[in-house]
Amino acid sequence: MIGGTEARMSSRPFVIALGITGLLHGGEVPPPLAARLIALQSSVLDKNEIATSASMLPQALLARRREAAAREAAAFEAVTTQADWEAYRDARLAALQRSIGDCTIHEPTLPTAVAAMPGADAASRVEVVGAVEGDGFRVENLIIAGRPGLPITANLYAPSKPGADMPGILIIGSHHNGKTQGELQDMGMTWARSGCVVLVLEHLAYGERAQQPYGGREDYRWRYHSSMQLYAAGANLLGWMVAEQRRGLDVLAARPGIDPNRLIVIGAVAGGGDQAAVLAALDQRVACAIPYNFGSAALDQPTSAGGDFDATRCPRGSARDGFTPWMLVAACAPRQVIHAHEFAWRAADDAGFARIARVFSLYDVRDRLDTTHGHGNGSQSATEASHCNQVGALHRKGLYPILERWLRMPAPTEYRSRLKPGQLACLDAAARERWAVQPLHTLLAAQAQQRVAAARSALAALPSGERAERLRRDWAALLGTVEPGEPALLRSESVVGDGFTADKLLLATEAGVLVPTLLLKPGRSTERLPVVLALTQSGTDLFIARRAWEIAELLSRGVAVCLVEVRGTGQTAPEGDRYWYSAAVQQASVSLMLGEPLLAGRLRDLRSVLRHLRGRADLDATRCAVWGESFAPANAPLLVDPPMQTDASALQAEPLGATAALLLALFEPEVRAVVARGGLTGFAALLDGPAAHVVLDAVVPDSTTAGDLADVVAALAPRHLRLESMVDGRNRLASQERLDHDYAAAHDAYRDAPGALLLTPSEGTDTATWLAQVLGR
């Protein structure tokens, strides 16, 4: 184990030692057939293929990104008029909103306890909880009504003597720090002293709104957990963050003396520009957008697959549906845009900027697009390059003449007199009580349960025979393409052992996707055999090492075992661990950008292998079972979530095997039985605490809109199922009480076949016997 999760198994001697020195059946000496299986050189790939196997999935994802980029290039090339552009733009903005939601907080209200406070403003739905008077400016500490239980904290900088026609500036901070960071204060005070009103919101789950106690950069890292939890509740991190910034625009627009035609949005470096561009593209109130470090490099041939743990940087569906950075900036036309960069930049080198400029020219307003940039590059030191945390003084100097020309804003005199964070605080204990503040995961859990309940009501209204088909449609909509292609058998090699035969199969399930498959059969068998498909995140080697006894018993009973390494698992898994910063997470995020969770491709791989098995003369695939495993250790029951940047990370669940097994049975009615070990009790369980201790590739966005895994299990009745050692979203073993509660719908469905469903918090010892009996052996 590396870092507490299942690692990529690349050392055969290590696996043999693993099997013999105590992981198998409490250290017992394995029986002869099991021992021979452990010693089997099971790799399907040759030496050259092994050397490049970790790059298979990223290369396949890169090829798909290039295909998508080429489609977009061709579509944009056909744009020659304003009408062409607006049709192109509107289709992609509609796709953006399908991805991230409508980015609107509907009817925000002041809680009753807040409405009675002297600082409450019912019109703008804001409470002023404090103020600091400065030299020519005033800072107001605000609590803005957002979603119930999740108010938005903010600092508003205004002139000491407000005017009647003031520009309003919404600054969206970088991912580096919260709203009190020094450069944010500098901008607020400087522009307020020159006659502007400036608003800086606290990001969701940052600063006073943090969902963890560690502070600092953990606010940023925690976006990994927040995004997965929002996905589970049918929401989206980028959508929620932009919706809160829209509330900021509401507050500015409602401020007495604000000129509604001079609302400006500035998105700071390091992530602020992403939100600013989306906000400006969707909200016509924005007169001028200044998204830093965003909108460049429209590459028709990307050089890497990309990906990031921060979902706001990799919007779901963006690569497939074309709402790419340059397009979002161009969507602001014919309004004003400053294409701003932290470091050195040249228009001649930027294909994205060329497309943006072309769009502005279609409107004959090329003069409403301007640029500014710094010097050096991000790899250089602060003395060599123009690094900043938000928007530095050097960068602001480049903005001033453009804003003066466009919006009648005289260049201000830079001012710096930074306040202590406590002076800008908004949420003390009393305010938290007035606003009924709740943890994000608690709010999302309630939302997810509402969605699950609605889905279950819809299922209950159907005749029992139609529920499985409804779930297949719903899960196909969630996953994307689930139907497998015709697999190509690239290579087959048989190894005859003492008591078994191993067929090493290399299958190509899609372009660029190879699935190593090991088919184990009893020796000298001439009949058509039933078969058990088996998979786990860590691959075939570890499955054999940990389950050699059970595999040997299945073979002795005349049941074949087919071990499948779906894409990105086992021999094709990326090197290293699987934590938030890993290549595995980057690949999962790219798959989401291409419009599907990685689980969709893995399910297609598994179904393709089953399709291959159906065509074999030595197997009877109508007698088929699936066995999905996890070998990841669980966390302690009293887990305290550690910081994400630590050498003592929480252990992560690896539910792929169990989830894929259940979904295979849902989509393949001939699967007679399922063994699922170490899987999630359900996707709603990701909301059990402040952190979700799973890997991004295990998550299916919006999954609770189709119910949950318990509803999949219910739809499989009366087929035989064993769910063992299931875990919650914090990767803690689920108790029997938790299993019975979460799977109440499944128990109801199995009322007429009570012996066919087994839910237990421990591993069974009779798995092979049970599978053989179910398959008629």
Side-chain angles (χ1 to χ4, degrees):
M1 302 297 166
I2 297 176
T5 190
E6 292 182 36
R8 185 173 189 264
M9 306 305 300
S10 60
S11 172
R12 186 64 196 175
F14 170 74
V15 175
I16 294 174
L18 184 70
I20 293 177
T21 59
L23 285 180
L24 296 175
H25 286 243
E28 297 176 14
V29 175
L33 180 54
R36 289 192 289 273
L37 291 172
I38 294 170
L40 173 68
Q41 295 293 325
S42 63
S43 176
V44 173
L45 303 179
D46 62 29
K47 290 182 179 179
N48 292 330
E49 290 165 339
I50 290 173
T52 60
S53 59
S55 66
M56 182 206 75
L57 180 55
Q59 287 299 315
L61 293 170
L62 174 58
R64 290 177 60 194
R65 285 204 67 183
R66 286 176 171 169
E67 290 172 4
R71 287 196 306 271
E72 284 303 302
F76 183 68
E77 189 62 29
V79 170
T80 59
T81 67
Q82 284 185 34
D84 291 343
W85 162 250
E86 288 169 1
Y88 178 99
R89 176 199 66 194
D90 292 349
R92 285 149 184 79
L93 291 181
L96 168 67
Q97 296 213 265
R98 288 193 299 272
S99 171
I100 68 174
D102 65 4
C103 299
T104 302
I105 298 174
H106 296 283
E107 299 182 3
T109 58
L110 292 179
T112 302
V114 173
M117 298 298 292
D121 181 347
S124 59
R125 288 152 293 184
V126 168
E127 181 186 5
V128 181
V129 295
V132 178
E133 299 292 343
D135 181 9
F137 67 92
R138 169 186 172 87
V139 185
E140 296 178 3
N141 300 331
L142 309 182
I143 304 177
I144 302 171
R147 291 176 172 83
L150 200 66
I152 307 160
T153 55
N155 299 124
L156 185 141
Y157 300 79
S160 294
K161 297 180 179 179
D165 187 26
M166 299 178 291
I169 304 174
L170 177 66
I171 300 177
I172 302 177
S174 74
H175 62 225
H176 293 312
N177 300 98
K179 63 181 171 56
T180 64
Q181 197 276 330
E183 289 176 12
L184 296 173
Q185 293 191 48
D186 297 346
M187 287 187 280
M189 295 173 187
T190 295
W191 268 310
R193 284 164 50 86
S194 71
C196 302
V197 176
V198 180
L199 183 62
V200 182
L201 306 188
E202 190 84 90
H203 284 314
L204 177 66
Y206 269 59
E208 297 179 277
R209 309 175 71 203
Q211 302 299 305
Q212 41 75 33
Y214 304 107
R217 293 284 286 177
E218 287 296 306
D219 285 344
Y220 178 46
R221 299 181 189 112
W222 222 262
R223 286 187 182 183
Y224 181 57
H225 295 303
S226 298
S227 63
M228 290 193 291
Q229 292 184 322
L230 282 156
Y231 280 150
N236 181 280
L237 179 59
L238 178 59
W240 274 41
M241 296 180 83
V242 171
E244 293 191 342
Q245 299 296 344
R246 290 185 93 164
R247 281 291 291 130
L249 281 182
D250 294 343
V251 171
L252 279 177
R255 184 88 176 182
I258 288 291
D259 181 354
N261 296 315
R262 291 196 289 170
L263 289 178
I264 303 162
V265 172
I266 301 175
V269 304
D274 305 45
Q275 293 180 57
V278 172
L279 174 62
L282 296 177
D283 199 315
Q284 294 296 312
R285 293 177 295 177
V286 177
C288 177
I290 310 174
Y292 269 84
N293 296 352
F294 191 80
S296 294
L299 294 173
D300 298 333
Q301 290 292 312
T303 56
S304 68
D308 198 279
F309 77 91
D310 178 3
T312 69
R313 315 299 295 271
C314 305
R316 180 161 62 111
S318 57
R320 180 193 63 188
D321 296 331
F323 49 93
T324 51
W326 76 265
M327 178 267 152
L328 293 171
V329 175
C332 299
R335 292 167 290 151
Q336 294 156 336
V337 170
I338 301 178
H339 194 68
H341 292 266
E342 181 180 3
F343 300 114
W345 173 84
R346 281 177 11 108
D349 299 330
D350 191 336
F353 180 74
R355 292 183 180 181
I356 296 167
R358 179 177 157 195
V359 170
F360 274 77
S361 295
L362 289 175
Y363 287 94
D364 198 23
V365 290
R366 181 61 180 80
D367 59 336
R368 295 184 188 176
L369 174 65
D370 213 328
T371 65
T372 183
H373 59 85
H375 60 268
N377 60 63
S379 65
Q380 293 177 317
S381 69
T383 59
E384 299 170 301
S386 51
H387 292 269
C388 63
N389 190 286
Q390 306 283 339
V391 180
L394 180 147
H395 305 88
R396 299 195 293 271
K397 185 177 180 180
L399 300 178
Y400 295 150
I402 304 172
L403 294 174
E404 183 171 17
R405 183 172 76 249
W406 285 351
L407 297 169
R408 310 185 314 279
M409 292 171 55
T413 301
E414 285 286 342
Y415 181 84
R416 177 169 173 166
S417 181
R418 295 177 178 177
L419 302 174
K420 295 180 179 179
Q423 294 175 277
L424 300 172
C426 306
L427 273 179
D428 59 15
R432 289 179 182 275
E433 184 175 353
R434 283 196 306 277
W435 284 87
V437 177
Q438 297 186 60
L440 177 62
H441 72 272
T442 302
L443 297 169
L444 293 176
Q447 180 171 314
Q449 288 304 327
Q450 291 174 356
R451 290 171 179 266
V452 170
R456 285 182 179 160
S457 294
L459 286 170
L462 296 173
S464 58
E466 296 179 14
R467 293 170 190 168
E469 182 56 35
R470 169 66 177 268
L471 279 171
R472 281 191 283 270
R473 290 199 304 269
D474 289 348
W475 276 95
L478 291 170
L479 293 169
T481 303
V482 295
E483 293 302 316
E486 191 65 41
L489 180 60
L490 302 183
R491 189 169 63 243
S492 177
E493 175 191 356
S494 291
V495 176
V496 178
D498 187 357
F500 68 93
T501 299
D503 289 348
K504 298 182 178 183
L505 313 174
L506 185 59
L507 296 170
T509 57
E510 294 171 13
V513 177
L514 303 181
V515 178
T517 302
L518 182 68
L519 176 60
L520 300 173
K521 299 177 294 183
R524 299 187 179 87
S525 176
T526 58
E527 63 176 316
R528 299 189 71 199
L529 303 170
V531 61
V532 174
L533 279 82
L535 77 158
T536 183
Q537 174 66 47
S538 49
T540 295
D541 278 347
L542 189 58
F543 201 113
I544 292 175
R546 295 290 295 269
R547 301 301 181 212
W549 268 258
E550 291 90 339
I551 295 171
E553 183 175 348
L554 285 168
L555 295 177
S556 69
R557 289 173 174 265
V559 178
V561 178
C562 183
L563 295 123
V564 184
E565 292 186 337
V566 296
R567 66 188 69 188
T569 69
Q571 295 170 85
T572 64
E575 298 285 355
D577 62 38
R578 287 171 46 78
Y579 282 101
W580 58 276
Y581 47 75
S582 68
V585 169
Q586 292 171 3
Q587 292 167 17
S589 72
V590 173
S591 188
L592 288 172
M593 291 170 67
L594 289 164
E596 65 177 24
L598 199 51
L599 180 61
R602 289 170 167 171
L603 178 61
R604 291 196 301 273
D605 292 341
L606 196 56
R607 295 185 72 188
S608 290
V609 172
L610 181 55
R611 177 172 289 190
H612 170 77
L613 299 182
R614 288 193 189 109
R616 292 181 64 104
D618 53 352
L619 299 177
D620 178 8
T622 63
R623 292 184 292 161
C624 171
V626 59
W627 180 357
E629 274 276 8
S630 171
F631 300 113
N635 287 309
L638 300 179
L639 170 70
V640 175
D641 296 312
M644 294 178 69
Q645 188 70 29
T646 178
D647 292 330
S649 299
L651 305 175
Q652 295 186 123
E654 292 288 7
L656 166 64
T659 306
L662 291 172
L663 291 176
L664 179 71
L666 177 65
F667 283 98
E668 299 286 355
E670 69 188 31
V671 173
R672 294 189 181 186
V674 177
V675 177
R677 282 183 178 152
L680 289 171
T681 58
F683 287 104
L686 298 178
L687 304 167
D688 284 346
H693 295 302
V694 299
V695 186
L696 179 60
D697 59 14
V699 174
V700 178
D702 304 336
S703 51
T704 52
T705 61
D708 213 332
L709 294 177
D711 302 286
V712 174
V713 171
L716 300 181
R719 285 183 272 174
H720 291 76
L721 270 72
R722 293 174 70 119
L723 277 66
E724 302 175 349
S725 304
M726 307 298 277
V727 296
D728 64 14
R730 305 184 73 201
N731 190 28
R732 302 172 302 180
L733 281 173
S735 66
Q736 188 66 55
E737 181 181 12
R738 172 72 183 262
L739 292 171
D740 291 340
H741 175 272
D742 287 6
Y743 283 83
H747 280 302
D748 288 344
Y750 274 86
R751 189 179 299 112
D752 295 332
L757 174 64
L758 174 66
L759 294 168
T760 174
S762 59
E763 290 183 5
T765 58
D766 61 341
T767 304
T769 302
W770 181 84
L771 282 169
Q773 290 174 346
V774 170
L775 295 176
R777 310 296 284 193

